[in-house]
Amino acid sequence: MTSRDSATSEITPEVLLRAYACGIFPMAESADDPTLFWVEPEMRGVIPLDGFHVSSRLARTVRSDAFTVTVDTAFKAVIAGCAAPQPGRDDTWINKRIRDLYIGLYELGHCHSVEVWENDDLVGGLYGVNLGRAFFGESMFHRTRDASKVALVHLVARLIAGGFALLDTQYVTEHLRSFGAVEVPRRRYRALLDKAITGEAADFGKLPVDRPLSGADALQIIAERG
């Protein structure tokens, strides 16, 4: 289900948070289209944190620390990377309005980025919104093989450590399915969401944010979940 919004409508970061709490999120037709539309999928993608799967090959890459992984150190660069064309994706749904809104959420402490570095080069990352004990993954990108996958592994470790209950991926792709992503009907998703945004909020900063976490530590947290 979608609902169009005129370009003059006032959507603030606070309005955006209320929308997430209702199970809807904004998108744009393209980077050049100034309008947004609200989306509430019939089937919603989620990755159960207790069912997250890391292949043995990816685990070796994560454990090798070939990449350095940081959090909230280059949010604007990550969202720019997600908005840039990539192989197989010439256009993007991230327009200037989307960027400004999520930068506003970041400044409020409700949006976070995971950055993946190779030497001093940003080669991958992801960003998303946190509300209560829910984390809504928005987009990811990579410029080097496995960089976005490594970002996702580190994100999941952080969510598990911080007491999160829901990782929303909006939709399920074959890429996400390999990590354990599943589709749930809208009614089931709303029940999961309602439970995740009530009670004591999770702590995205439970793991250190001022220094990189090793791949071995991230994998151990995932292995010991629950």
Side-chain angles (χ1 to χ4, degrees):
M1 183 172 69
T2 62
S3 175
R4 287 213 166 267
D5 146 63
S6 72
T8 58
S9 297
E10 183 63 22
I11 301 176
T12 65
E14 291 80 7
V15 169
L16 194 52
L17 279 180
R18 291 198 292 272
Y20 274 98
C22 295
I24 61 178
F25 56 89
M27 295 185 74
E29 287 288 358
S30 70
D32 298 325
D33 187 343
T35 61
L36 302 181
F37 57 92
W38 294 109
V39 182
E40 187 183 15
E42 289 285 349
M43 299 295 291
R44 193 70 164 245
V46 300
I47 296 180
L49 293 173
D50 59 359
F52 184 69
H53 173 71
V54 183
S55 70
S56 57
R57 186 194 67 78
L58 180 59
R60 286 194 297 272
T61 300
V62 172
R63 193 174 288 110
S64 74
D65 287 329
F67 302 112
T68 300
V69 182
T70 58
V71 172
D72 290 346
T73 66
F75 183 85
K76 291 181 180 179
V78 167
I79 200 170
C82 291
Q86 294 192 50
R89 190 191 72 187
D90 295 331
D91 205 352
T92 175
W93 53 269
I94 301 174
N95 62 7
K96 183 181 184 302
R97 237 176 132 193
I98 291 280
R99 289 200 205 192
D100 290 346
L101 280 169
Y102 287 88
I103 289 169
L105 279 185
Y106 171 74
E107 292 170 348
L108 291 175
H110 279 286
C111 207
H112 300 281
S113 59
V114 177
E115 304 94 21
V116 179
W117 307 85
E118 192 170 41
N119 299 319
D120 294 327
D121 296 325
L122 182 66
V123 295
L126 58 81
Y127 75 97
V129 175
N130 76 285
L131 182 64
R133 292 183 296 124
F135 190 89
F136 308 86
E138 284 298 310
S139 188
M140 60 174 61
F141 80 100
H142 70 277
R143 298 180 181 127
T144 300
R145 182 186 182 189
D146 289 339
S148 61
K149 295 179 181 179
V150 170
L152 182 58
V153 171
H154 277 259
L155 171 69
V156 168
R158 183 167 293 273
L159 298 184
I160 291 170
F164 283 79
L166 175 65
L167 173 52
D168 174 348
T169 67
Q170 298 178 351
Y171 300 101
V172 172
T173 64
E174 286 306 309
H175 170 69
L176 292 175
R177 201 180 298 278
S178 69
F179 288 97
V182 296
E183 288 184 321
V184 296
R186 183 184 296 164
R187 180 176 295 182
R188 171 63 178 156
Y189 173 77
R190 285 179 172 173
L192 293 171
L193 177 61
D194 288 346
K195 184 176 180 181
I197 62 176
T198 57
E200 185 176 355
D203 183 6
F204 192 84
K206 181 74 172 179
L207 294 178
V209 296
D210 58 347
R211 63 181 186 274
L213 182 73
S214 74
D217 286 344
L219 291 169
Q220 183 174 358
I221 291 167
I222 293 169
E224 294 176 351
R225 61 185 175 252

